[in-house]
Amino acid sequence: YLGAPRFLVFFFFFLGKVLAKKWSFNEALYFDKKKLSIIYPHLQQADFVYCDMIRLAPYASCSIAGFHLDIDDLLSSRYMKFSYMGGVGFGFGEKVFPVYLRKSLLPLLRKVSSIIFKIEAKLMFAREAYWTDLARTASLVSPLECSVLEAKVEKSIQNIPMALPSTGVRWEVGNASNRRLLGVFIGSIDIPGNYLSLKKYVESTTSGNNEFDLSVVGKASSENIEKLSAQGVDYLGYVDSLSGVIISADFIFCPIYGGTGIKTKVVEALSYGIPIATTEDGLSGLDISRDLVFVFNLSDGSLSEFVDNYRAYCSAASVQSRIDYFNSNFEESVVQGKWLSIFQQY
């Protein structure tokens, strides 16, 4: 693994590459001439070189056979979104700094980091096109992002998402006519992104207008449980059978805000066929019909529409369509076939 080099080395390349507008921060941070000298002989002998994201492309470009660039997500889009969200202010800062420093430091830190993210987004926009053109083959997780990048370069980009095993467990609709609906949120609230997502939901229900009960699965510190305590929200922590919790619920709740690329928790939910309520960010990168997934915004009260129209997402045809979408895009044999098509070009 090629970790970040010493600070002074980074500072040198920051001045020499970033300020000259040739490299992105990512490339400057990860490049080290000493490490390149170590792996250079291997790059010269290799028949196939896999490059993990733009930050390592300066190494992979030394390959004689050419290299495959796995861009993963478009970092230019991700960083631009971060800049609009206030940089480190979107949930991370409040975890890093002690309480007595937050009010004084966070506003400044948000402003500075927002500027840095915006600069990096613009640099990365150019570097994504540059390295994709130079690579022999390239891939992105999302088919939608493939279309965006293909409009900037002169080659076809393969859509290769994460491969996920099918659970083989099919969700069946229960009798929710005489009770409140039960949603499931999957993810540790000790992770800033999950914490912020659930915090937004809890804050929207402070007046007691929550439309359903919610079970939260995943690691949760007592401190965060106390902060996010709300009527109708039950923190289960780790569970013995995640599948058991999912098939006993009425829907998966994914109030995702921020980030780019395909969200694994949404894809995993699709494999069960269970109804899903999520945000526009939760559907990022997925070209799935909106008739199969409910999209909400906590600020406009649209969650009540989901509760009112819940049955529309529970038909046997809808359940099977969600499973079919998962199988045709994320099932292991499908993803392996896409990788085989890449290998055959070397």
Side-chain angles (χ1 to χ4, degrees):
Y1 175 73
L2 298 173
R6 298 181 304 277
F7 175 77
L8 288 178
V9 175
F10 165 64
F11 186 72
F12 171 78
F13 278 99
F14 180 89
L15 291 176
K17 301 295 183 181
V18 175
L19 295 185
K21 295 187 177 181
K22 292 183 178 180
W23 282 20
S24 64
F25 294 165
N26 274 262
E27 293 164 275
L29 177 61
Y30 278 85
F31 188 78
D32 186 325
K33 285 187 175 181
K34 183 176 181 180
K35 289 177 180 176
L36 176 60
S37 67
I38 295 173
I39 66 173
Y40 185 82
H42 302 286
L43 293 170
Q44 295 289 294
Q45 298 172 15
D47 297 316
F48 175 80
V49 173
Y50 170 88
C51 178
D52 180 22
M53 302 178 69
I54 298 294
R55 62 193 178 195
L56 298 183
Y59 294 102
S61 62
C62 296
S63 166
I64 292 179
F67 64 98
H68 175 77
L69 177 60
D70 185 357
I71 306 168
D72 194 10
D73 302 330
L74 290 179
L75 294 183
S76 57
S77 298
R78 179 185 299 182
Y79 293 150
M80 189 59 72
K81 183 174 290 188
F82 283 175
S83 74
Y84 294 147
M85 296 177 67
V88 298
F90 51 87
F92 294 89
E94 64 183 67
K95 298 289 184 181
V96 174
F97 298 102
V99 176
Y100 61 88
L101 288 178
R102 288 175 192 169
K103 288 186 177 181
S104 59
L105 286 182
L106 277 182
L108 176 61
L109 196 60
R110 286 191 186 105
K111 188 171 184 178
V112 171
S113 61
S114 180
I115 293 172
I116 292 174
F117 276 127
K118 186 171 291 187
I119 293 172
E120 175 68 343
K122 293 178 178 179
L123 290 170
M124 186 59 75
F125 184 80
R127 300 303 284 176
E128 285 165 343
Y130 172 80
W131 285 119
T132 300
D133 274 330
L134 196 63
R136 187 166 175 180
T137 53
S139 63
L140 275 159
V141 168
S142 165
L144 302 180
E145 290 194 338
C146 282
S147 300
V148 171
L149 188 54
E150 283 177 341
K152 302 190 314 186
V153 299
E154 298 179 356
K155 69 167 36 136
S156 175
I157 302 170
Q158 178 67 275
N159 141 238
I160 308 182
M162 66 289 269
L164 297 172
S166 174
T167 61
V169 178
R170 180 189 174 97
W171 177 86
E172 300 291 344
V173 62
N175 182 13
S177 58
N178 298 320
R179 60 174 174 79
R180 285 165 60 85
L181 293 179
L182 174 63
V184 174
F185 176 97
I186 302 172
S188 169
I189 61 171
D190 293 342
I191 295 174
N194 290 333
Y195 176 88
L196 178 64
S197 295
L198 200 58
K199 180 182 178 183
K200 285 181 175 290
Y201 168 69
V202 169
E203 289 175 346
S204 74
T205 64
T206 52
S207 59
N209 61 342
N210 51 325
E211 303 284 346
F212 49 83
D213 292 327
L214 183 66
S215 294
V216 180
V217 177
K219 182 181 178 182
S221 66
S222 56
E223 177 187 3
N224 284 338
I225 290 176
E226 183 177 353
K227 289 179 180 179
L228 300 181
S229 176
Q231 181 181 355
V233 179
D234 185 22
Y235 293 92
L236 305 181
Y238 288 116
V239 295
D240 293 331
S241 173
L242 181 59
S243 293
V245 172
I246 291 175
I247 63 175
S248 299
D250 297 308
F251 67 98
I252 296 294
F253 185 55
C254 299
I256 298 171
Y257 290 91
T260 57
I262 294 174
K263 307 303 187 293
T264 303
K265 62 181 65 180
V266 175
V267 174
E268 289 176 334
L270 289 169
S271 71
Y272 290 89
I274 187 171
I276 301 168
T278 189
T279 59
E280 289 288 351
D281 286 339
L283 284 188
S284 172
L286 297 176
D287 56 350
I288 188 171
S289 169
R290 298 304 176 91
D291 293 333
L292 299 177
V293 180
F294 183 81
V295 181
F296 67 87
N297 187 324
L298 289 176
S299 63
D300 62 10
S302 53
L303 267 177
S304 60
E305 296 178 24
F306 173 67
V307 174
D308 293 340
N309 300 298
Y310 170 72
R311 285 288 171 179
Y313 299 90
C314 298
S315 68
S318 294
V319 172
Q320 188 59 50
S321 292
R322 286 188 285 266
I323 294 174
D324 289 344
Y325 182 85
F326 170 86
N327 288 337
S328 61
N329 290 280
F330 302 96
E331 200 273 327
E332 289 177 319
S333 62
V334 172
V335 177
Q336 288 170 359
K338 291 185 175 183
W339 277 116
L340 179 60
S341 70
I342 293 292
F343 297 150
Q344 288 175 337
Q345 297 180 54
Y346 287 81

